[in-house]
Every structure is written in C-alpha cells, then in structure tokens.
Amino acid sequence: MLAAFKRLFGGERRKAAAPASTEEAVKGLEEASMEDIGAFLEAARRADTKGHSPWVLRDETRLATLRRALEFTVQHGQWLQRDGGNIARWQGRLLKLRHGEGPTLGMLLACRPDDEAAWQLRFFFVEPEWQGSGHGARLLRAARLSLNGVPLNARLPLACQSAVRSLEQAGFARMHVNAFEVASFEAPAEWD
C-alpha cells in the first residue's frame, strides 16, 4: 500500500515499464549517426576517469583513433579490431535509445567477427540525467532483440554497480569473475 502511495504522489522514482511486445521493446532503438559520436566519446571519457572504460583515452591520439573507428562503424557497419599486427573488419553496430523524438537516453557499441559469432558488447551508457530510471536495462533488452537472437557477451568491472544491475535486469547471466574483479556476462540467444 505504501508503495502505491509513493508512486501516486511521486515519492518513488519511476522505472521504465517492461515492454508488452517485441516491437515495443525495440521501439526507440535506432542506428546512431555521426552527430551522436561526440556523446559516445564523452561517456567513454567519463568512464575512463573511473577506470570503467574498455579504452584508455587519456591522450588525444587515442581519442581521435576511437572517433575514427566509430565513424567507420556508423558509415560502413564495421568495427575495426586489432588482430595481432593487422586490423580486422568486424561487423559493428552503434545503437542509440531515444524516447519518441526526444533526446538520446543512452547508446551502445556491439561487434562480432562474423555471422557465426556472438555479439560482443564493447561499451554502453545511459546519459547521467536519465540514469536510475531503468533505461539501461531497456537499452540492453532492445539491443538483444535487434541483434537477431544471437548471444550477446559483455565484460564489465563489478565496480560499475548500476551497469551490472542493468545487465542482469536485461537477462544477462554472470558467467565468470576474474582476479581483477571484471565479470563476464552472457545473454543467450533463447528468450525466456
């Protein structure tokens, strides 16, 4: 009863509602554009200052390299991945979540070497003003559906508690935690 009063009178933060259908679940998820790359880089830079980014972005050269890789992904649907001394072209998707015509709520980058491989979630974020409202889990559920029922893997430091919560709420299972407290997660291709 108390929870109902809190929701009614605004004392409790509103959570994003669970989608009723597949179409509704992916509603608002779209391919990112060149104009979105700056927001992605800023989020990656914020994460790097906390040690939560998969990239070390403390110098402008690395930031410029990541920008070019993201631009290539947006333009060609391919992520440039180091493979020993060479550069491999993986399939890549830079996706953003919006509510209607409103601002971007969050983004993610997923890539895989070929059609047979699982997607790897490289980085995802929700803009600071939208955090804590369930949009992280919504973004991840929508990505799982839009990536055609293929498993989706992620690695994330356990210190990123809100991101870990979002992964788990979106159906990712924690598979392994290494000695550096980095956890591996997997969202299977089969849905509950």
Side-chain angles (χ1 to χ4, degrees):
M1 179 85 140
L2 181 59
F5 280 123
K6 284 183 178 179
R7 279 193 304 276
L8 182 63
F9 295 109
E12 183 176 86
R13 246 189 184 166
R14 294 184 69 190
K15 298 286 182 190
S21 68
T22 301
E23 183 178 306
E24 191 176 314
V26 297
K27 187 176 181 180
L29 188 70
E30 58 191 60
E31 296 291 333
S33 67
M34 297 295 271
E35 293 78 28
D36 298 312
I37 292 173
F40 189 94
L41 291 171
E42 182 56 36
R45 186 181 287 186
R46 280 192 312 264
D48 185 41
T49 62
K50 297 175 185 175
H52 298 166
S53 174
W55 307 285
V56 177
L57 301 173
R58 294 185 181 106
D59 66 57
E60 290 304 314
T61 303
R62 289 178 184 227
L63 193 61
T65 300
L66 179 56
R67 176 182 292 281
R68 285 190 304 275
L70 292 167
E71 289 170 350
F72 195 83
T73 301
V74 167
Q75 292 173 337
H76 304 286
Q78 295 180 335
W79 173 251
L80 302 176
Q81 176 74 31
R82 282 196 182 271
D83 184 12
N86 300 317
I87 301 292
R89 293 176 183 231
W90 286 21
Q91 295 175 14
R93 304 271 311 270
L94 185 60
L95 303 170
K96 69 179 179 180
L97 179 69
R98 295 179 358 156
H99 183 70
E101 295 298 316
T104 297
L105 304 173
M107 295 176 67
L108 65 81
L109 172 66
C111 59
R112 65 181 178 168
D114 57 52
D115 288 338
E116 301 295 318
W119 285 98
Q120 296 178 18
L121 180 62
R122 287 300 168 95
F123 185 74
F124 75 97
F125 72 95
V126 172
E127 291 290 358
E129 61 270 23
W130 299 106
Q131 292 175 1
S133 300
H135 294 298
R138 182 176 159 219
L139 170 66
L140 293 164
R141 279 192 301 270
R144 284 185 67 193
L145 286 169
S146 75
L147 295 173
N148 300 320
V150 174
L152 182 57
N153 299 323
R155 292 185 68 231
L156 192 67
L158 290 177
C160 303
Q161 294 174 1
S162 62
V164 167
R165 242 184 336 273
S166 292
L167 284 167
E168 291 172 342
Q169 289 171 352
F172 285 74
R174 190 178 304 184
M175 305 305 288
H176 173 73
V177 178
N178 70 17
F180 300 104
E181 295 294 307
V182 175
S184 296
F185 294 86
E186 181 178 307
E190 300 82 26
W191 285 82
D192 300 338

